[in-house]
Amino acid sequence: MSTMKRGTGRKWKSSLLPWRLLPMSRNKKCWVGGCVWYLERRAGQESPHKFMRLFRSVNKQWITFQHFNFLKRMYVTQLNRSLHQQVKPKPEPLASSFLEKTSSSQTKAEIYQMRSLSPPSLPLSRKSNEKGLTELGSASIIKSSIEVGNETRDEKQWKEMKLQLENLPGILARLSKIKLTALVVSTTSAGFALAPGPFDLPCFLLTFVGTGLASCAANCINQFFEVPFDSNMNRTKNRPLVRGQISPLLAVSFATCCAVPGVALLTWGVNPLTGALGAFNIFLYTCCYTPLKRISIANTWVGAVVGAIPPVMGWTAATGSLGAGAFLLGGILYSWQFPHFNALSWGLREDYSRGGYCMMSVTHPALCRRVALRHCLALIGLSTAAPLLDITTWTFPIISLPINLYISYLGFRFYTEADRKSSRKLFFCSLWHLPLLLLLLLTCKQDGKGVRGEPRG
Amino acid sequence: MAALGPRSKPLVPALCRAFADCGRQLTPECAAERRDAAPSRASRFCPPRQSCHDWIGPPDRQSNLRPVQFYVPEDESPLEQRLRELRQETQEWNQEFWANQNSTFMKEKEEFIHSRLKAKGLALRTESGQRATLNAEEMADFYKDFLSKNFQKHMYYNRDWYRRNFAITVFMGRVALHRAWKRLRSGRR
């Protein structure tokens, strides 16, 4: 389609600061946003001189005015990032949005007195704006020029939907959720490494690449299905398909180009069982989990199975069969998904409700917390079962007990307190808990007993 | 046009219209016709004349969806025209649904907060003049209620969205093949 053609259109330059366009974790954004806020606050203290400059020349006004507007917007974003739900309707789509009102009030107030920017004064400046509008006759000139400024800024946000080849790797990385894929592949590697028998490097590499490709494909299709929903959620609104950086056709083609070689590699390069598991997992994620998210809370359990299959694939790749170890590893990953996801979803309830997602955190909050705690405790049980199944030595349940107890403690806190703070603590704990647990599993691996089955089909 | 229930405008006639040769010719410089279709600030934008690609705008304030202004090539085939119309129509349909959904959500949320604050005997504004708020746990009842009220609406929307998305992508594939074939034939000559 037109996105695949190279046209003669001129390059579009973003009027936004680059960092905002980067996919960053929320904490990083808070930190960077906080820096901008600090700088803006410093600037605000020197603001009287800035306002004089604003009135000096029209040309300069637009540059400092737009920069000023942008800094204001960044600040307001930080102010609104609160734990409470504000009763604040979205600004009207006319020139009189909140930011414009504040800015115009600032420029008008300058005529009477110098007014410095300080955070608590924002709601007050709204009040003074209402007075200012009625008092100033010449405000109409400023207002119309503000409107033109807004339209110019708005026009600058339009982008040509032309695929730039130099951007393609980044776009495809975001499309395939490369970080999540990396996590999936690492769990597969853990399953492979934990399996009995000597380590077969070529087989491992084939499994690694095949699983990675399958995961990329599944993530692409997931994003392809969810474009309008992703647009409406803060967490996902910067995805490539939402932003029009890639066409749906290209996304599906890329997914196919990953899925086919990925599954083929697993089936013929490793063994048919692993290939079948890979294909099944792609199907489960794209055709069961993704639509089910909007139909029933059962999606969480299906999603947990999706997360549990990769380490099982690693095990079957190494041994050629499903053993007790495969199920144990799968069980650990399955149980881990619940504290991880339930804690994450606790802070997204507003977006889920508005977007129509059926999640336990919205429809059955008590169940959500109960299940999270239940599975934290299950992790302790599964860790104890590892030596019983001859997967690890008895050292493993002992050394993993502290971290399992800690996550269970946080799970209990989440269960009782049921607030954002406890959910965030549990979520962040789950992020380091899993890699550490897998590492401990590998260090306590039981040596020697099993014989690897035929790895290649 | 939004997927509001079984009596809503079915998808099949919309797709049939896309297959029939009808619809207005949209030009890159003419944004005026689009204003009533996607009434937002972003629709006043006109892409530059020399550009021969679609242009995508900032997220709409009401629907959070990014509007697209479609490029109309001079040698647009009937197939390409139908695809463009289908995409345009889907965009409008999506815009209507999500704008309605989001504005209903904000309105009902405000009403909920007001009623809860009243029940608690609290004023709508605190002493410092800021709006009084409810914390996330108090809002949970509203979120649950809103989700269940809109469940059926979302089911119809999901079904229609999956169909449209699939149809558009298949169409895009056909257009791409058609163009490739045309280029191959003109290359041979």
Side-chain angles (χ1 to χ4, degrees):
Chain A
M1 198 47 199
S2 55
T3 51
M4 296 164 82
K5 270 168 62 177
R6 275 187 180 273
T8 53
R10 59 167 195 255
K11 275 212 161 155
W12 178 87
K13 280 187 181 171
S14 170
S15 66
L16 305 175
L17 279 180
W19 69 268
R20 202 177 172 203
L21 299 177
L22 293 172
M24 271 194 215
S25 72
R26 212 170 179 181
N27 283 339
K28 255 193 190 162
K29 272 189 179 162
C30 282
W31 181 81
V32 179
C35 284
V36 175
W37 177 82
Y38 171 70
L39 288 169
E40 189 266 349
R41 199 180 170 166
R42 288 280 305 272
Q45 284 157 6
E46 309 152 2
S47 59
H49 303 290
K50 281 209 171 145
F51 288 130
M52 287 308 292
R53 265 189 280 134
L54 267 175
F55 278 93
R56 290 257 162 82
S57 74
V58 176
N59 281 341
K60 280 184 187 169
Q61 181 178 354
W62 302 134
I63 296 164
T64 47
F65 196 78
Q66 283 180 0
H67 177 67
F68 176 80
N69 254 348
F70 177 68
L71 284 175
K72 287 293 297 176
R73 196 192 315 144
M74 287 299 105
Y75 165 73
V76 171
T77 309
Q78 289 307 308
L79 187 67
N80 286 343
R81 198 187 297 279
S82 67
L83 296 177
H84 296 293
Q85 304 300 318
Q86 302 254 354
V87 178
K88 197 175 102 176
K90 274 200 171 165
E92 292 299 314
L94 300 170
S96 57
S97 72
F98 175 70
L99 285 168
E100 280 82 62
K101 265 187 182 168
T102 317
S103 319
S104 64
S105 79
Q106 295 293 338
T107 52
K108 279 167 229 153
E110 199 275 332
I111 292 169
Y112 290 106
Q113 59 179 13
M114 294 303 171
R115 196 182 173 86
S116 60
L117 287 168
S118 57
S121 76
L122 268 175
L124 293 175
S125 65
R126 209 180 200 170
K127 281 186 187 169
S128 73
N129 167 60
E130 284 157 2
K131 288 179 201 164
L133 271 173
T134 52
E135 282 165 28
L136 285 171
S138 58
S140 58
I141 299 163
I142 301 165
K143 209 179 168 187
S144 60
S145 49
I146 289 165
E147 282 175 16
V148 170
N150 288 336
E151 275 184 26
T152 316
R153 185 187 63 197
D154 211 43
E155 281 175 14
K156 284 189 177 175
Q157 291 179 38
W158 279 78
K159 290 193 197 182
E160 195 173 12
M161 291 174 79
K162 188 171 76 168
L163 189 67
Q164 307 283 356
L165 279 180
E166 63 264 20
N167 295 337
L168 194 60
I171 291 170
L172 293 178
R174 285 196 295 281
L175 194 64
S176 49
K177 295 189 210 170
I178 200 75
K179 289 183 199 165
L180 180 63
T181 299
L183 180 68
V184 164
V185 164
S186 62
T187 58
T188 308
S189 311
F192 192 96
L194 203 67
F199 186 83
D200 183 357
L201 184 65
C203 182
F204 171 75
L205 290 173
L206 289 168
T207 313
F208 188 94
V209 172
T211 312
L213 288 172
S215 173
C216 286
N219 288 326
C220 278
I221 299 292
N222 170 264
Q223 290 196 27
F224 166 73
F225 283 153
E226 304 238 289
V227 175
F229 315 118
D230 284 344
S231 311
N232 276 281
M233 287 183 58
N234 280 320
R235 193 174 64 97
T236 52
K237 64 186 178 187
N238 288 317
R239 287 185 170 170
L241 282 169
V242 173
R243 289 168 68 185
Q245 292 174 320
I246 192 169
S247 78
L249 178 67
L250 210 56
V252 171
S253 309
F254 175 69
T256 315
C257 291
C258 286
V260 171
V263 173
L265 208 60
L266 291 172
T267 310
W268 286 293
V270 183
N271 59 53
L273 177 61
T274 313
L277 283 171
F280 175 67
N281 214 21
I282 294 174
F283 167 76
L284 201 63
Y285 185 60
T286 58
C287 301
C288 298
Y289 171 70
T290 302
L292 210 55
K293 275 162 74 172
R294 307 182 59 77
I295 298 172
S296 153
I297 59 170
N299 70 79
T300 312
W301 282 267
V302 172
V305 173
V306 171
I309 287 179
V312 174
M313 284 167 65
W315 183 282
T316 59
T319 62
S321 62
L322 284 166
F327 288 112
L328 178 83
L329 254 182
I332 288 175
L333 261 293
Y334 177 83
S335 283
W336 175 83
Q337 304 287 332
F338 290 98
H340 174 75
F341 182 73
N342 287 6
L344 172 69
S345 69
W346 199 256
L348 301 173
R349 283 177 287 177
E350 180 175 358
D351 280 351
Y352 284 149
S353 170
R354 186 165 50 87
Y357 282 107
C358 293
M359 300 295 174
M360 272 193 278
S361 58
V362 182
T363 59
H364 299 81
L367 176 71
C368 177
R369 297 180 338 258
R370 208 164 52 232
V371 165
L373 176 61
R374 197 189 295 165
H375 284 274
C376 287
L377 298 170
L379 284 171
I380 301 175
L382 286 165
S383 302
T384 316
L388 293 170
L389 297 169
D390 274 338
I391 314 296
T392 64
T393 59
W394 276 102
T395 321
F396 174 66
I398 298 164
I399 57 170
S400 66
L401 196 62
I403 60 170
N404 286 337
L405 280 176
Y406 183 62
I407 199 172
S408 301
Y409 164 71
L410 290 180
F412 183 72
R413 288 275 298 271
F414 177 49
Y415 176 70
T416 50
E417 290 170 24
D419 61 0
R420 195 179 162 93
K421 188 176 163 201
S422 54
S423 70
R424 282 168 66 84
K425 277 192 125 169
L426 180 60
F427 172 71
F428 286 116
C429 173
S430 73
L431 292 179
W432 58 256
H433 175 271
L434 180 69
L436 197 52
L437 191 70
L438 292 175
L439 200 65
L440 292 173
L441 255 175
L442 290 173
T443 53
C444 301
K445 179 183 168 182
Q446 186 74 272
D447 284 327
K449 284 240 173 118
V451 178
R452 275 183 200 248
E454 193 55 48
R456 300 194 185 212
Chain B
M1 253 199 291
L4 294 168
R7 289 188 205 140
S8 66
K9 196 172 187 177
L11 178 63
V12 174
L15 289 176
C16 284
R17 271 193 290 117
F19 283 94
D21 196 11
C22 64
R24 57 207 156 113
Q25 188 81 353
L26 296 168
T27 52
E29 57 269 18
C30 179
E33 281 185 6
R34 253 180 240 115
R35 257 178 231 178
D36 46 291
S40 63
R41 284 172 66 186
S43 64
R44 286 184 222 151
F45 171 79
C46 281
R49 287 189 82 106
Q50 71 272 23
S51 164
C52 55
H53 291 93
D54 298 339
W55 283 68
I56 191 163
D60 182 70
R61 282 181 201 276
Q62 292 167 323
S63 68
N64 296 313
L65 302 176
R66 290 173 183 257
V68 175
Q69 297 239 352
F70 298 100
Y71 169 65
V72 185
E74 282 164 4
D75 58 343
E76 191 184 48
S77 65
L79 194 69
E80 288 170 359
Q81 184 187 356
R82 286 177 231 145
L83 170 63
R84 179 173 50 78
E85 284 162 6
L86 178 61
R87 289 176 75 192
Q88 179 73 38
E89 211 236 323
T90 302
Q91 184 173 278
E92 288 160 15
W93 171 79
N94 259 327
Q95 167 71 20
E96 199 182 323
F97 177 83
W98 285 105
N100 176 50
Q101 176 76 2
N102 292 336
S103 63
T104 309
F105 181 82
M106 297 310 288
K107 201 179 79 176
E108 291 188 17
K109 185 174 146 184
E110 256 197 72
E111 285 168 8
F112 176 83
I113 291 175
H114 286 169
S115 66
R116 276 288 168 101
L117 288 171
K118 251 190 190 166
K120 277 178 161 184
L122 294 170
L124 289 177
R125 284 187 184 270
T126 61
E127 284 161 6
S128 60
Q130 288 179 320
R131 287 183 188 262
T133 59
L134 295 175
N135 65 29
E137 307 320 314
E138 288 163 314
M139 293 301 300
D141 292 333
F142 166 71
Y143 296 145
K144 180 176 175 177
D145 191 46
F146 187 83
L147 187 65
S148 52
K149 265 198 321 199
N150 288 274
F151 182 76
Q152 203 62 275
K153 190 170 150 189
H154 277 295
M155 287 301 103
Y156 291 119
Y157 173 79
N158 295 341
R159 178 200 63 192
D160 289 344
W161 161 249
Y162 271 71
R163 281 189 198 166
R164 282 177 184 268
N165 196 25
F166 184 72
I168 287 172
T169 310
V170 165
F171 236 123
M172 277 180 164
R174 282 179 63 187
V175 164
L177 285 172
H178 180 75
R179 276 221 203 107
W181 176 247
K182 246 174 46 180
R183 239 181 250 153
L184 209 65
R185 271 174 50 196
S186 61
R188 273 187 191 166
R189 283 186 213 142

